[in-house]
Amino acid sequence: QVQLEESGGGSVQAGGSLRLSCVASGSFFSCMAWFRQAPGKEPEGVATIGRDGATEYADSMKGRFTISRDNAKNILYLQMNSLNPGDSAMYYCAVPKLCTGLGRSGYYHRGQGTQVTVSS
């Protein structure tokens, strides 16, 4: 059974940084992703990474966020810099159905999420 457990969320001021981690147990899939969801909004794909390290980012995250993975430890990371209040959301680690399209095809598995709150 696949389990995804996120950590690293918290409250920061605008301009700050956070590093999210996701430990995968059961299996570490060839394609992994982060998405986020703010209250009252639709889920939004953040970034995707393949086993070979190929990445895809949402336009608003390019240059600020970095997705990476440690295949030996089954850990997925999301380094978030230059955070702004618009980045406040619950962030989820997930296994996307396709490794392109930033999760628009949906997800097979996801974690419980970790909350990120950015104050101005």
Side-chain angles (χ1 to χ4, degrees):
Q1 184 175 353
V2 175
Q3 286 189 318
L4 304 172
E5 185 172 355
E6 304 93 337
S7 62
S11 297
V12 296
Q13 290 192 325
S17 298
L18 284 173
R19 189 194 195 200
L20 307 183
S21 298
C22 171
V23 178
S25 59
S27 185
F28 201 38
F29 291 81
S30 60
C31 188
M32 297 293 295
W34 290 96
F35 73 93
R36 67 187 186 185
Q37 188 167 18
K41 294 188 176 181
E42 293 293 314
E44 178 184 21
V46 173
T48 303
I49 185 168
R51 181 172 291 278
D52 61 355
T55 58
E56 182 179 6
Y57 294 92
D59 287 344
S60 63
M61 288 76 163
K62 287 179 182 176
R64 300 191 301 124
F65 291 11
T66 302
I67 188 172
S68 61
R69 61 191 292 164
D70 185 332
N71 292 327
K73 297 180 180 179
N74 286 8
I75 302 177
L76 181 71
Y77 299 102
L78 184 68
Q79 177 67 45
M80 304 186 296
N81 299 327
S82 301
L83 287 162
N84 60 67
D87 295 315
S88 296
M90 186 72 80
Y91 283 72
Y92 297 90
C93 166
V95 180
K97 291 184 177 180
L98 293 176
C99 211
T100 57
L102 289 171
R104 280 187 284 273
S105 297
Y107 301 95
Y108 290 116
H109 307 283
R110 73 173 204 184
Q112 294 298 308
T114 186
Q115 178 68 42
V116 172
T117 303
V118 185
S119 58
S120 57

